Amino acid sequence: MGTGPSTPRWGGEVSQDTAEFLIGTFVGGKTFPLNSDYWQKLLELPFDLHWPANRVQQACHTFAQNNSSTRHLAKILVHLTWCLQESLSNPDSAASMKAVNASYISSVFLKYSIENLKSENLEDLYLSLDENETVPDNMHKDESVINMVMHAVLSYIGKVDVSPKTYLLHHELLNFMLIAMSTQLLSGPSPGPNDVHPFLDAAMSQESSLVGLVVHKLLLNYISRPRSKSSASYTLMSEENQLGVLKRVGSAAANIVLYPLSYFVNSSVEASRSQLADSSINILLLLIHYRKCILVESVKNSNASVTSESLLKDETYFAENPYCKALENVRDVEFDRVDIEGNAHSGPVVRLSFASLFDTLGMCLADETAVLLLYALVHGNSDFLEYVLVRTDIDTLLMPLLETLYDASRRTSNQIYMVLIILLILSQDSSFNASIHKLILPSVPWYQERLLHQTSLGSLMVIILIRTVKYNMSKMRDVYLHTNCLAALANMAPHVHRLSSYASQRLVSLFDMLSRKYAKLAEQKNDKMQMSDSDPKDDDKLPEDTSAELHIYTDFLRIVLEILNGILTYALPRNPEVIYAIMHRQEVFQPFRNHPRFNELLENIFSVLDFFNSRMDAQKLDGEWSVEKVLQLININCKFWRGDGMKMFTQLRFTYEQESHPEEFFIPYVWQLVIARSGFSFDPSSINLFPVELPVEVSYAPGEINKDQKMQLNVKEAVESSV
C-alpha cells in the first residue's frame, strides 16, 4: 500500500505521514483484528487534514477489492457500535469524537460499496465478521454486525439530546443512516419479496420504545432546528494546487476524513438553515414509507389430490412499519383527547408540542419534504388533524399551500399533487369549510393578477383551486388533478359564506371553460362518426377516439353544476355575488338546459335565475342597471327567497383514500427529494429506483408527468342525506 512510518507517532500532533499510513492500511490488503490497537489510532485522527479529491475513487476501488478478505468495513462498524455505547453513558467522553470518525469513514466506503455492487446480492458488501475472527467477551459470535450498529445508532439518536458537544455526532449518524438505507436505490419502486435492505430491516426490528424515541427526536430536531455553534470547518476537497497528504500512497483515501460542517460556513444562505433539521426529516420520511414485502408459502388442500402447480401458492403481504405507527401515535403534550376518553393506544405514544410542529410546518411548506410530512400527519394522525382543524389561524398552513399552487409552473407536479390531496383531506371537515370563510385576509401579496383586499381565506382557496384547474387544462392535462380540485370545491360548496365577487366570477367562468372543451370534444366525436360512416376503409386515418375524454369532461361539468347547486341550495342568502355571477353569465348555461346528463341539475339554477330575473323585470328603473344596483336588488330579494321549486339533491361529499400500494409513489418520490437536498451525490448508473429517462435530481416540467411515478388519487364519493 505504499510507504509509511512503521511506528506512527501519537504524542501531540499527528503527522501527515501517520494519516497516510492509517488510511492506506485501512483500504489495503493486510487484515487487522478487532482487538488491534490500529483501530484506536485510526479513529483518533485529527479533523483538519486535507485530502486531494482525485484520490477518493482510487482508495474506494482498492478498498472494494480487499474488503472481502479484511472485513474492515464490518470491523469499523463494530468499533462504531462500541464508541456509541460508551458515548451513551458519557456523551462528553473521547469516544464521541472517535464515533464521529468511525461514522464518517464507514459512510464513505459503504456508499461506494453499495453503488458498485456487481450483483443484487447484498452479502457482497461483506458486512459480517470472518468466522476465524476472535471476538471480545462483550460480543456474541453470531451477533449480526448490522443489527448491532443500527441499534447503537438509533439508541444514540433517540436517547442523547442535541447540544453543541453532541451536534457533530448526531449529524454524522444521520448521514450514515442515509447511506445505509440507500440500498433501496438498487431495487425497483415496487417492493418485492426478494428485496433485501439489511440496515432498513434492522431498523424495523427495533423495540417499539426505541422506535418512539427516534421518531420523537427526529421531529424535535425538525422543530427546534438546531445549528452548530462550532467554528470548526472541515474541508470537503483540497484545492487542485494543494499537495495531497497521500502524495506517496496512490491507492489511499482522499476526501474521507470529516467534512460535515464545511457547508455551514461557505454561504450565508446555507448557514441560515439547519442541516440537522433537514437530515432528520429526510430520515423520518424514508423510515415511515419503507415497506417490507413478505413472502408466505401456504399449502392448501394438502389432503386432496392437487396438481404440482397448485400445491404451493405464493402470497405476499407488507409487514407493519413501526415508524409509521409511531408517527400516527404522536400526541400533543398539552392535551390528549384519547386518554381522556379512556381508550388505549396501539403502539408507542410520542409526546410532542403540536403548536410548535404546526408553526414549523407553516414556515417550511415551500419545501416538498415539509409537504410530505404534513400529508403523513393529516392523513395518518387523527389527533394532529383535529388540532389543525380547530386552529383559528389555519392560514398559517393554507397560505403557503395555496401559494405553492399559485406558482405551479415553478413547482414539481408531485408537489402540486400532494398539496391538493392535503386540501381535499381538510375540506372533508365541515367546520374547516365554515371557518375559512370567516377568516379575512387584509391582502394577498403574492397574487399578481389583481389586488385582493379583505378577501376571505375561503374565497382565496376557491380562486386558487379554479386557477389550478385552468393551468392543468392548458399545461399538464392530468385528470386526477382536475378531480382533486373539483372534489375539494364540491366539499366546500354547502358551507360557502360571502364568496367574493372575483371568486364567484371564476366559478362561473370555470363552467364556461369546461363547457367549451366539452362542446369541442362532442364535435370531434360527431365528425369522426360521420367520417367512419362515409368511408369505413379510412378508420386508421381517423383521429384518436375522444369518447373517454368526452365522458371525463361530462363528469367534470356535472361536478361544477353540483358545486353551484350546493351553494344555491344550502347557502344562497349568504352569497349574493354568486347569484350575480350566474345572472351575468346566464347564457353559458342555456346550451345544456335540455341535456339529459345536466338538465336536472340545471333546473335549480334556472329556478334561481327566474326568481331574480322576474324581480328585476318588476323593478322600474330609470337609466341603466349598474353592478351596485343589481347587487342591491339581489340582497333585498335574498330575504324573500324560500327555495320554491328547488329540487333537493343529496349532498355529495368527496373523501380521499390512499391507494393500496402507496410505496410505489412515495419511495421514489422521497428518494428524489433526499438526493436533491442531502448534498450526497449518488451514481445515477447504480440507481434502479427511478425511470432511466429521468435525471437523478428530478424536477418535473409541466406536461411531463410520469405516470409510473405518480400516485393515482382515489377520490371516493360519499352520499349524505340533505339537510
Side-chain angles (χ1 to χ4, degrees), residues 173-186:
L173 292 178
L174 291 175
N175 284 347
F176 170 80
M177 283 192 65
L178 177 62
I179 297 297
M181 293 189 293
S182 68
T183 57
Q184 224 175 2
L185 294 170
L186 304 176

Side-chain angles (χ1 to χ4, degrees), residues 15-28:
S15 70
Q16 299 280 25
D17 286 341
T18 300
E20 281 184 25
F21 170 72
L22 291 171
I23 298 299
T25 300
F26 179 76
V27 303

Side-chain angles (χ1 to χ4, degrees), residues 84 100 120 127 131 148 169 204 221 327 340 354 394 398 413 488 501 511 566 577 625-626 632 662 700 719:
L84 290 175
V100 171
E120 296 182 0
L127 295 173
E131 294 180 356
M148 281 178 53
L169 182 51
M204 296 298 141
N221 289 346
L327 188 67
I340 290 175
F354 278 3
I394 189 65
L398 277 193
S413 61
S501 60
F511 179 85
E577 292 288 359
W625 282 98
S626 65
Q632 183 181 13
Y700 289 117
V719 180

